[in-house]
Amino acid sequence: MERFITPAALARCLPFVLFMALLMLRGALPIDGTSPIDPRWVYGITVLVVGASLAFFWRKYTELHKGTWLSLPELGLSVAVGVVVWALWVNLDHPWLMMGVEDKVSFTPVDANGDLIWPLIVVRLIGAALLVPVMEELFWRSFLMRWVDKPEFESVDPKAVTLKAIVLSTFVFMLVHTLWFAAILAGLAYAWLYRRTGKLWAPIVAHAVTNGVLGVWVVIMGAWEFW
């Protein structure tokens, strides 16, 4: 355990743990109006808390510092992968491709009259397209995928991660998503990007594009079940 709970590991795990804990809190709140806090705004609290934790640990995220930016071809590839993952996500929603049923009522950004609550939508988009990709890729790819190969994960070259590491980390990634098959494909796509470029910004950009396009698509189509 001493080798697992290192400052570098803590910096990549704690924001993710906080995010999941606050999501569980949201799910525990009643949605019938009896809760002192509107469950939908717990996401806003989550953005602030997780964002603060990422800012606190920023110096430890060496893979995101200057000199790790993407080249233009790498950026284009990342954007393309993000769009493909979005397309898969919204089409692979058949019942047999889903694991369990997730309550989405508290994420529906409309009031009693059916009008959109734009502040709620903006907060959701900021969190999903900017904060979540950084937080998740630091945990799933930078930490967990490399840790599977070696507890001293910072010494593992992303371009040298093994198939075992990619498969195991993707499997765990799948377990926390309702759309399990889409999650497998997304996890493999983001892992492939990280391994191919050796830069964490690649899966972060792809993840951000997926979530950003998904958010806009949800607002346009009213497909709240994907949000």
Side-chain angles (χ1 to χ4, degrees):
M1 289 296 291
E2 291 183 359
R3 291 197 303 171
F4 182 88
I5 309 177
T6 63
L10 180 65
R12 289 158 180 78
C13 293
L14 184 58
F16 180 78
V17 170
L18 289 173
F19 181 80
M20 296 302 294
L22 287 168
L23 284 188
M24 291 176 64
L25 171 63
R26 178 200 65 81
L29 292 174
I31 59 176
D32 57 5
T34 61
S35 172
I37 303 175
D38 186 335
R40 292 175 297 186
W41 283 106
V42 173
Y43 195 88
I45 297 173
T46 302
V47 168
L48 292 175
V49 172
V50 176
S53 69
L54 289 172
F56 179 79
F57 289 118
W58 186 256
R59 289 187 179 182
K60 296 190 179 297
Y61 305 143
T62 54
E63 62 268 63
L64 299 181
H65 294 173
K66 186 177 180 180
T68 64
W69 313 127
L70 302 176
S71 66
L72 193 57
E74 291 170 338
L75 179 62
L77 177 62
S78 301
V79 170
V81 169
V83 172
V84 169
V85 171
W86 164 77
L88 292 171
W89 202 270
V90 300
N91 285 289
L92 297 176
D93 62 330
H94 305 292
W96 68 278
L97 295 176
M98 301 177 67
M99 179 169 54
V101 178
E102 186 176 350
D103 175 23
K104 295 288 185 178
V105 175
S106 60
F107 276 152
T108 306
V110 295
D111 59 21
N113 298 319
D115 297 321
L116 294 174
I117 306 174
W118 282 105
L120 187 66
I121 291 173
V122 170
V123 169
R124 179 73 175 174
L125 284 173
I126 290 174
L130 298 180
L131 180 138
V132 169
V134 175
M135 177 266 302
E136 287 211 29
E137 294 309 314
L138 280 167
F139 176 76
W140 293 113
R141 255 58 69 177
S142 175
F143 169 67
L144 185 61
M145 188 171 74
R146 293 193 293 169
W147 181 83
V148 170
D149 276 340
K150 190 176 181 180
E152 296 80 12
F153 69 95
E154 287 185 293
S155 66
V156 177
D157 183 352
K159 292 186 175 182
V161 292
T162 64
L163 179 61
K164 178 186 72 173
I166 292 175
V167 171
L168 288 180
S169 61
T170 299
F171 175 76
V172 181
F173 180 76
M174 174 269 291
L175 292 178
V176 299
H177 291 85
T178 302
L179 299 176
W180 65 268
F181 188 64
I184 288 177
L185 297 179
L188 291 175
Y190 298 151
W192 173 78
L193 264 180
Y194 190 33
R195 193 178 192 280
R196 186 180 190 278
T197 64
K199 300 176 181 178
L200 191 63
W201 280 115
I204 287 176
V205 168
H207 203 148
V209 169
T210 298
N211 288 6
V213 175
L214 180 62
V216 173
W217 178 81
V218 162
V219 172
I220 294 174
M221 302 300 294
W224 314 122
E225 68 272 15
F226 289 95
W227 214 358

